[in-house]
Coordinates of all heavy atoms in Angstrom, one line a residue:
M82 N 82.0 -48.2 -74.6 CA 80.7 -48.0 -75.2 C 80.6 -46.7 -76.0 O 81.3 -45.8 -75.7 CB 79.6 -48.0 -74.1 CG 79.5 -49.3 -73.3 SD 78.1 -49.3 -72.3 CE 77.1 -50.3 -73.3
P83 N 79.8 -46.7 -77.0 CA 79.8 -45.5 -77.9 C 78.9 -44.4 -77.3 O 78.7 -43.4 -77.9 CB 79.2 -46.1 -79.2 CG 78.3 -47.2 -78.7 CD 79.0 -47.8 -77.6
F84 N 78.3 -44.6 -76.1 CA 77.5 -43.5 -75.6 C 78.3 -42.5 -74.9 O 79.2 -42.7 -74.1 CB 76.5 -44.1 -74.6 CG 75.6 -45.2 -75.1 CD1 75.8 -46.5 -74.7 CD2 74.7 -44.9 -76.1 CE1 75.0 -47.5 -75.2 CE2 73.9 -45.9 -76.6 CZ 74.0 -47.2 -76.2
N85 N 78.1 -41.2 -75.2 CA 78.8 -40.1 -74.6 C 77.8 -39.3 -73.7 O 77.4 -38.2 -74.0 CB 79.3 -39.1 -75.7 CG 80.4 -39.8 -76.4 OD1 81.2 -40.6 -75.9 ND2 80.5 -39.5 -77.7
I86 N 77.4 -39.9 -72.6 CA 76.5 -39.3 -71.7 C 77.3 -38.8 -70.5 O 78.0 -39.5 -69.9 CB 75.4 -40.3 -71.2 CG1 74.6 -40.8 -72.3 CG2 74.5 -39.7 -70.1 CD1 73.6 -41.9 -72.0
G87 N 77.1 -37.5 -70.2 CA 77.8 -36.9 -69.1 C 77.0 -37.1 -67.8 O 76.0 -37.7 -67.8
W88 N 77.6 -36.5 -66.8 CA 76.9 -36.6 -65.5 C 75.5 -36.0 -65.5 O 74.6 -36.5 -64.9 CB 77.7 -36.0 -64.4 CG 78.9 -36.9 -64.0 CD1 80.2 -36.6 -64.4 CD2 78.9 -38.1 -63.3 NE1 81.0 -37.7 -63.9 CE2 80.2 -38.5 -63.2 CE3 77.9 -38.8 -62.7 CZ2 80.5 -39.7 -62.6 CZ3 78.2 -40.0 -62.0 CH2 79.5 -40.4 -62.0
T89 N 75.4 -34.8 -66.1 CA 74.1 -34.1 -66.1 C 73.1 -34.9 -66.9 O 71.9 -35.0 -66.5 CB 74.2 -32.7 -66.7 OG1 74.8 -32.8 -68.0 CG2 75.1 -31.8 -65.8
G90 N 73.5 -35.6 -68.0 CA 72.5 -36.4 -68.8 C 72.1 -37.6 -68.0 O 70.9 -38.0 -68.0
L91 N 73.1 -38.2 -67.3 CA 72.8 -39.4 -66.5 C 71.8 -39.0 -65.4 O 70.8 -39.8 -65.1 CB 74.0 -40.0 -65.9 CG 73.9 -41.3 -65.2 CD1 73.4 -42.4 -66.1 CD2 75.3 -41.7 -64.6
I92 N 72.0 -37.9 -64.7 CA 71.1 -37.5 -63.6 C 69.7 -37.2 -64.2 O 68.7 -37.5 -63.6 CB 71.7 -36.2 -62.9 CG1 72.9 -36.7 -62.1 CG2 70.7 -35.6 -62.0 CD1 73.7 -35.5 -61.5
L93 N 69.7 -36.5 -65.3 CA 68.4 -36.3 -66.0 C 67.6 -37.5 -66.3 O 66.4 -37.6 -66.1 CB 68.6 -35.4 -67.3 CG 67.3 -35.0 -68.0 CD1 66.6 -34.0 -67.1 CD2 67.8 -34.3 -69.3
I94 N 68.3 -38.5 -66.8 CA 67.7 -39.8 -67.2 C 67.1 -40.5 -65.9 O 66.0 -41.0 -65.9 CB 68.6 -40.8 -67.9 CG1 68.9 -40.2 -69.3 CG2 68.1 -42.1 -68.0 CD1 70.0 -40.9 -70.1
I95 N 67.9 -40.5 -64.8 CA 67.5 -41.0 -63.5 C 66.3 -40.3 -63.0 O 65.3 -40.9 -62.5 CB 68.6 -41.1 -62.5 CG1 69.7 -42.0 -63.0 CG2 68.1 -41.4 -61.1 CD1 71.0 -42.0 -62.2
L96 N 66.2 -39.0 -63.1 CA 65.1 -38.2 -62.6 C 63.8 -38.5 -63.4 O 62.8 -38.7 -62.8 CB 65.4 -36.7 -62.6 CG 66.3 -36.2 -61.5 CD1 66.7 -34.7 -61.7 CD2 65.7 -36.5 -60.1
I97 N 64.0 -38.6 -64.7 CA 62.8 -39.0 -65.5 C 62.3 -40.3 -65.2 O 61.1 -40.6 -65.1 CB 63.2 -38.8 -67.1 CG1 63.4 -37.3 -67.4 CG2 62.1 -39.4 -67.9 CD1 63.9 -37.1 -68.8
A98 N 63.2 -41.3 -65.1 CA 62.8 -42.7 -64.7 C 62.1 -42.7 -63.3 O 61.1 -43.4 -63.1 CB 64.0 -43.6 -64.7
L99 N 62.6 -41.9 -62.4 CA 62.0 -41.8 -61.1 C 60.6 -41.2 -61.2 O 59.6 -41.7 -60.5 CB 62.8 -40.9 -60.2 CG 62.5 -40.9 -58.7 CD1 62.5 -42.3 -58.1 CD2 63.4 -39.9 -57.9
L100 N 60.4 -40.2 -62.0 CA 59.1 -39.6 -62.2 C 58.1 -40.6 -62.9 O 56.9 -40.6 -62.6 CB 59.2 -38.3 -63.0 CG 59.8 -37.1 -62.2 CD1 60.0 -36.0 -63.2 CD2 58.9 -36.7 -61.1
L101 N 58.6 -41.3 -63.9 CA 57.7 -42.2 -64.7 C 57.3 -43.4 -63.9 O 56.1 -43.9 -63.9 CB 58.4 -42.6 -66.0 CG 58.5 -41.6 -67.0 CD1 59.3 -42.1 -68.2 CD2 57.1 -41.1 -67.5
F102 N 58.2 -44.1 -63.2 CA 58.0 -45.4 -62.6 C 57.8 -45.3 -61.0 O 57.3 -46.2 -60.5 CB 59.1 -46.3 -62.9 CG 59.2 -46.6 -64.4 CD1 60.3 -46.0 -65.1 CD2 58.3 -47.3 -65.0 CE1 60.4 -46.2 -66.4 CE2 58.4 -47.5 -66.4 CZ 59.5 -47.0 -67.1
G103 N 58.3 -44.3 -60.4 CA 58.2 -44.2 -59.0 C 59.3 -44.9 -58.2 O 59.9 -45.8 -58.8
P104 N 59.5 -44.5 -57.0 CA 60.7 -45.1 -56.3 C 60.5 -46.6 -56.0 O 61.5 -47.3 -55.9 CB 60.8 -44.3 -55.0 CG 59.5 -43.7 -54.9 CD 58.9 -43.5 -56.3
S105 N 59.3 -47.1 -55.9 CA 59.1 -48.5 -55.5 C 59.3 -49.4 -56.7 O 59.7 -50.6 -56.6 CB 57.6 -48.7 -55.0 OG 56.7 -48.4 -56.0
K106 N 59.1 -48.9 -58.0 CA 59.3 -49.8 -59.2 C 60.7 -49.7 -59.7 O 61.1 -50.6 -60.5 CB 58.3 -49.4 -60.3 CG 56.9 -49.6 -59.9 CD 56.5 -51.0 -60.1 CE 55.0 -51.1 -59.8 NZ 54.6 -52.5 -60.0
L107 N 61.5 -48.8 -59.4 CA 62.8 -48.7 -59.9 C 63.7 -49.9 -59.7 O 64.4 -50.3 -60.6 CB 63.5 -47.4 -59.5 CG 63.1 -46.1 -60.2 CD1 63.9 -44.9 -59.7 CD2 63.3 -46.2 -61.7
P108 N 63.8 -50.5 -58.5 CA 64.6 -51.6 -58.3 C 64.2 -52.8 -59.2 O 65.0 -53.5 -59.7 CB 64.5 -52.0 -56.8 CG 64.1 -50.7 -56.1 CD 63.3 -50.0 -57.2
Q109 N 62.9 -53.0 -59.3 CA 62.4 -54.1 -60.1 C 62.8 -53.8 -61.6 O 63.2 -54.7 -62.3 CB 60.9 -54.2 -60.0 CG 60.4 -54.7 -58.6 CD 58.9 -54.6 -58.5 OE1 58.2 -54.0 -59.4 NE2 58.3 -55.1 -57.4
L110 N 62.6 -52.6 -62.0 CA 63.0 -52.2 -63.4 C 64.4 -52.4 -63.7 O 64.8 -53.0 -64.7 CB 62.6 -50.8 -63.7 CG 62.8 -50.2 -65.1 CD1 61.9 -51.0 -66.1 CD2 62.5 -48.7 -65.1
G111 N 65.3 -52.0 -62.7 CA 66.7 -52.2 -62.9 C 67.1 -53.7 -63.0 O 68.0 -54.1 -63.8
R112 N 66.5 -54.5 -62.1 CA 66.7 -56.0 -62.2 C 66.3 -56.5 -63.5 O 67.0 -57.4 -64.1 CB 66.0 -56.6 -61.1 CG 66.9 -57.1 -59.9 CD 66.2 -58.0 -58.9 NE 65.0 -57.6 -58.3 CZ 64.8 -56.6 -57.4 NH1 65.7 -55.8 -57.1 NH2 63.7 -56.3 -56.9
A113 N 65.2 -56.2 -64.0 CA 64.7 -56.7 -65.3 C 65.6 -56.3 -66.4 O 65.9 -57.1 -67.3 CB 63.3 -56.2 -65.5
I114 N 66.1 -55.1 -66.4 CA 67.0 -54.6 -67.5 C 68.3 -55.4 -67.4 O 68.8 -55.8 -68.4 CB 67.2 -53.1 -67.4 CG1 65.9 -52.4 -67.8 CG2 68.3 -52.7 -68.3 CD1 65.9 -50.9 -67.6
G115 N 68.8 -55.6 -66.2 CA 70.0 -56.3 -66.0 C 69.9 -57.7 -66.4 O 70.8 -58.3 -67.1
D116 N 68.8 -58.4 -66.1 CA 68.6 -59.8 -66.5 C 68.5 -59.9 -68.0 O 69.0 -60.8 -68.7 CB 67.3 -60.4 -65.9 CG 67.5 -60.6 -64.4 OD1 68.6 -60.6 -63.9 OD2 66.4 -60.7 -63.7
T117 N 67.8 -58.9 -68.6 CA 67.7 -58.9 -70.1 C 69.0 -58.8 -70.7 O 69.3 -59.5 -71.7 CB 66.7 -57.8 -70.5 OG1 65.5 -58.0 -69.9 CG2 66.5 -57.8 -72.1
L118 N 69.8 -57.8 -70.3 CA 71.2 -57.6 -70.9 C 72.1 -58.9 -70.7 O 72.8 -59.3 -71.6 CB 71.9 -56.4 -70.3 CG 71.3 -55.1 -70.7 CD1 72.0 -53.9 -69.9 CD2 71.5 -54.8 -72.2
R119 N 72.0 -59.5 -69.5 CA 72.8 -60.7 -69.2 C 72.4 -61.8 -70.2 O 73.2 -62.5 -70.8 CB 72.5 -61.1 -67.8 CG 73.5 -62.1 -67.3 CD 73.3 -62.5 -65.8 NE 73.3 -61.3 -65.0 CZ 72.3 -60.8 -64.3 NH1 71.1 -61.4 -64.4 NH2 72.4 -59.7 -63.5
E120 N 71.1 -62.0 -70.4 CA 70.6 -63.1 -71.3 C 71.1 -62.8 -72.8 O 71.4 -63.7 -73.5 CB 69.1 -63.2 -71.2 CG 68.7 -63.9 -69.9 CD 69.2 -65.3 -69.8 OE1 69.2 -66.1 -70.8 OE2 69.6 -65.7 -68.7
F121 N 71.0 -61.5 -73.2 CA 71.4 -61.1 -74.5 C 72.9 -61.4 -74.7 O 73.3 -61.9 -75.8 CB 71.1 -59.6 -74.7 CG 71.5 -59.1 -76.1 CD1 70.7 -59.5 -77.2 CD2 72.6 -58.3 -76.2 CE1 71.1 -59.0 -78.4 CE2 73.0 -57.9 -77.4 CZ 72.2 -58.2 -78.6
R122 N 73.7 -61.0 -73.7 CA 75.1 -61.3 -73.9 C 75.4 -62.8 -73.9 O 76.3 -63.2 -74.7 CB 75.9 -60.6 -72.7 CG 76.0 -59.2 -72.8 CD 76.7 -58.6 -71.6 NE 76.6 -57.2 -71.5 CZ 76.7 -56.4 -70.4 NH1 76.9 -57.0 -69.3 NH2 76.6 -55.1 -70.5
K123 N 74.8 -63.5 -73.1 CA 74.9 -65.0 -73.1 C 74.6 -65.6 -74.4 O 75.3 -66.4 -75.0 CB 74.1 -65.6 -72.0 CG 74.2 -67.1 -71.8 CD 73.3 -67.6 -70.7 CE 73.3 -69.1 -70.6 NZ 72.4 -69.6 -69.6
G124 N 73.5 -65.2 -75.0 CA 73.0 -65.7 -76.3 C 74.0 -65.3 -77.4 O 74.3 -66.0 -78.3
S125 N 74.5 -64.0 -77.3 CA 75.5 -63.5 -78.3 C 76.8 -64.4 -78.3 O 77.3 -64.7 -79.3 CB 75.8 -62.1 -78.1 OG 74.7 -61.3 -78.2
R126 N 77.2 -64.6 -77.0 CA 78.5 -65.4 -76.9 C 78.3 -66.8 -77.5 O 79.2 -67.3 -78.1 CB 78.9 -65.5 -75.4 CG 79.5 -64.2 -74.9 CD 80.0 -64.4 -73.5 NE 80.2 -63.1 -72.9 CZ 79.6 -62.7 -71.8 NH1 78.8 -63.6 -71.1 NH2 79.8 -61.5 -71.3
Q127 N 77.1 -67.4 -77.2 CA 76.8 -68.8 -77.7 C 76.8 -68.8 -79.2 O 77.3 -69.7 -79.8 CB 75.5 -69.3 -77.1 CG 75.6 -69.7 -75.7 CD 74.3 -70.1 -75.1 OE1 73.2 -69.9 -75.8 NE2 74.3 -70.7 -73.9
M128 N 76.2 -67.7 -79.8 CA 76.1 -67.7 -81.3 C 77.5 -67.6 -81.9 O 77.8 -68.2 -82.9 CB 75.2 -66.6 -81.7 CG 73.7 -66.9 -81.5 SD 72.6 -65.5 -82.0 CE 73.0 -65.3 -83.7
I129 N 78.3 -66.7 -81.3 CA 79.7 -66.5 -81.8 C 80.5 -67.8 -81.7 O 81.2 -68.2 -82.6 CB 80.3 -65.3 -81.0 CG1 79.7 -64.0 -81.5 CG2 81.9 -65.3 -81.3 CD1 80.1 -62.8 -80.6
A130 N 80.4 -68.4 -80.5 CA 81.1 -69.7 -80.3 C 80.6 -70.8 -81.3 O 81.5 -71.5 -81.9 CB 80.9 -70.2 -78.9
E131 N 79.3 -70.9 -81.6 CA 78.8 -71.8 -82.6 C 79.3 -71.5 -84.0 O 79.7 -72.4 -84.7 CB 77.3 -71.9 -82.5 CG 76.8 -72.5 -81.3 CD 75.3 -72.4 -81.2 OE1 74.6 -71.9 -82.1 OE2 74.7 -72.9 -80.2
A132 N 79.4 -70.2 -84.3 CA 79.8 -69.8 -85.6 C 81.3 -70.1 -85.8 O 81.7 -70.6 -86.8 CB 79.5 -68.4 -85.8
E133 N 82.1 -69.8 -84.8 CA 83.5 -70.1 -84.8 C 83.8 -71.6 -84.9 O 84.6 -72.1 -85.7 CB 84.2 -69.5 -83.6 CG 84.3 -68.0 -83.7 CD 85.0 -67.4 -82.4 OE1 85.1 -68.2 -81.4 OE2 85.2 -66.2 -82.5
E134 N 83.0 -72.4 -84.2 CA 83.1 -73.8 -84.2 C 82.8 -74.4 -85.5 O 83.4 -75.3 -86.0 CB 82.2 -74.4 -83.1 CG 82.3 -75.9 -82.9 CD 81.4 -76.4 -81.8 OE1 81.7 -76.0 -80.6 OE2 80.5 -77.2 -82.1
S135 N 81.7 -73.9 -86.1 CA 81.4 -74.4 -87.5 C 82.4 -74.0 -88.5 O 82.6 -74.7 -89.5 CB 80.0 -73.9 -87.9 OG 80.0 -72.5 -88.1
N136 N 83.0 -72.9 -88.4 CA 84.1 -72.5 -89.3 C 85.3 -73.3 -89.2 O 86.0 -73.6 -90.2 CB 84.4 -71.0 -89.1 CG 83.4 -70.0 -89.6 OD1 82.5 -70.4 -90.4 ND2 83.4 -68.8 -89.1
V137 N 85.6 -73.7 -88.0 CA 86.8 -74.6 -87.8 C 86.5 -76.0 -88.3 O 87.4 -76.6 -88.9 CB 87.2 -74.6 -86.3 CG1 88.2 -75.6 -86.0 CG2 87.6 -73.2 -85.8
S138 N 85.4 -76.5 -88.1 CA 85.1 -77.9 -88.4 C 84.9 -78.1 -89.9 O 85.1 -79.2 -90.4 CB 83.8 -78.4 -87.6 OG 82.7 -77.7 -88.1
E139 N 84.5 -77.1 -90.7 CA 84.3 -77.2 -92.1 C 85.6 -77.0 -92.8 O 86.2 -76.0 -92.6 CB 83.3 -76.2 -92.6 CG 81.9 -76.5 -92.0 CD 80.9 -75.4 -92.5 OE1 81.3 -74.6 -93.3 OE2 79.7 -75.5 -92.1
P140 N 86.0 -77.9 -93.7 CA 87.2 -77.6 -94.5 C 87.0 -76.6 -95.5 O 85.9 -76.4 -96.1 CB 87.5 -79.0 -95.2 CG 86.2 -79.7 -95.2 CD 85.4 -79.2 -94.0
K141 N 88.0 -75.8 -95.7 CA 87.9 -74.7 -96.7 C 88.0 -75.2 -98.1 O 88.8 -76.1 -98.4 CB 88.9 -73.6 -96.4 CG 88.7 -72.9 -95.1 CD 89.8 -71.8 -95.0 CE 89.5 -71.1 -93.7 NZ 90.6 -70.0 -93.5
P142 N 87.2 -74.8 -99.0 CA 87.3 -75.2 -100.4 C 88.6 -74.8 -101.0 O 89.2 -73.7 -100.8 CB 86.1 -74.6 -101.1 CG 85.7 -73.4 -100.3 CD 86.1 -73.7 -98.9
E143 N 89.2 -75.7 -101.8 CA 90.5 -75.4 -102.5 C 90.2 -74.5 -103.7 O 89.2 -74.8 -104.4 CB 91.2 -76.7 -102.9 CG 91.5 -77.6 -101.7 CD 92.3 -78.8 -102.2 OE1 92.8 -78.8 -103.3 OE2 92.3 -79.8 -101.4
R144 N 91.1 -73.6 -103.9 CA 91.0 -72.8 -105.1 C 91.8 -73.4 -106.2 O 92.9 -73.8 -106.0 CB 91.5 -71.4 -104.8 CG 90.6 -70.6 -103.8 CD 91.1 -69.2 -103.7 NE 90.3 -68.4 -102.8 CZ 90.5 -67.2 -102.5 NH1 91.5 -66.5 -102.9 NH2 89.6 -66.5 -101.7
K145 N 91.2 -73.4 -107.3 CA 91.9 -73.9 -108.5 C 92.5 -72.7 -109.2 O 91.9 -71.7 -109.5 CB 90.9 -74.7 -109.4 CG 90.4 -75.9 -108.8 CD 89.5 -76.6 -109.7 CE 88.9 -77.9 -109.1 NZ 88.1 -78.6 -110.0
S146 N 93.7 -72.9 -109.6 CA 94.4 -71.8 -110.3 C 94.0 -71.9 -111.8 O 93.9 -73.0 -112.4 CB 95.9 -71.9 -110.2 OG 96.4 -73.2 -110.7
V147 N 93.8 -70.8 -112.4 CA 93.4 -70.7 -113.8 C 94.7 -70.4 -114.6 O 95.4 -69.5 -114.4 CB 92.4 -69.6 -114.0 CG1 92.1 -69.4 -115.5 CG2 91.2 -69.8 -113.2
N148 N 95.0 -71.4 -115.5 CA 96.2 -71.2 -116.4 C 95.8 -71.0 -117.8 O 95.1 -71.5 -118.4 CB 97.1 -72.4 -116.2 CG 97.8 -72.5 -114.8 OD1 97.9 -71.4 -114.2 ND2 98.1 -73.7 -114.4

């Protein structure tokens, strides 16, 4: 991943999230974020597979040489 977050940055983010949402909402928030990322990856994989499938099934146009 392109993120360069060190331990101190990660701890700071967790503390801010804890202050904003409270300890009772953090598990729900984590689950929601995980589900969202999972669905995004699934959709991305499906789109890539469909694009590759359509590229394979379509014949490439022939190039005519100019003489």
Side-chain angles (χ1 to χ4, degrees):
M82 296 194 101
F84 302 111
N85 294 325
I86 299 175
W88 286 105
T89 55
L91 187 61
I92 291 172
L93 183 64
I94 290 171
I95 291 171
L96 286 175
I97 290 172
L99 186 61
L100 289 173
L101 288 175
F102 300 106
S105 62
K106 294 283 184 179
L107 281 182
Q109 293 172 353
L110 182 64
R112 254 190 309 291
I114 291 172
D116 291 343
T117 302
L118 287 175
R119 193 175 306 112
E120 288 296 320
F121 178 76
R122 288 181 189 152
K123 182 180 174 184
S125 297
R126 285 188 199 121
Q127 287 176 348
M128 287 179 59
I129 291 170
E131 289 173 3
E133 288 175 351
E134 187 177 296
S135 68
N136 286 339
V137 171
S138 64
E139 294 177 5
K141 294 183 179 179
E143 295 181 21
R144 292 186 178 178
K145 296 181 180 181
S146 60
V147 178
N148 292 334

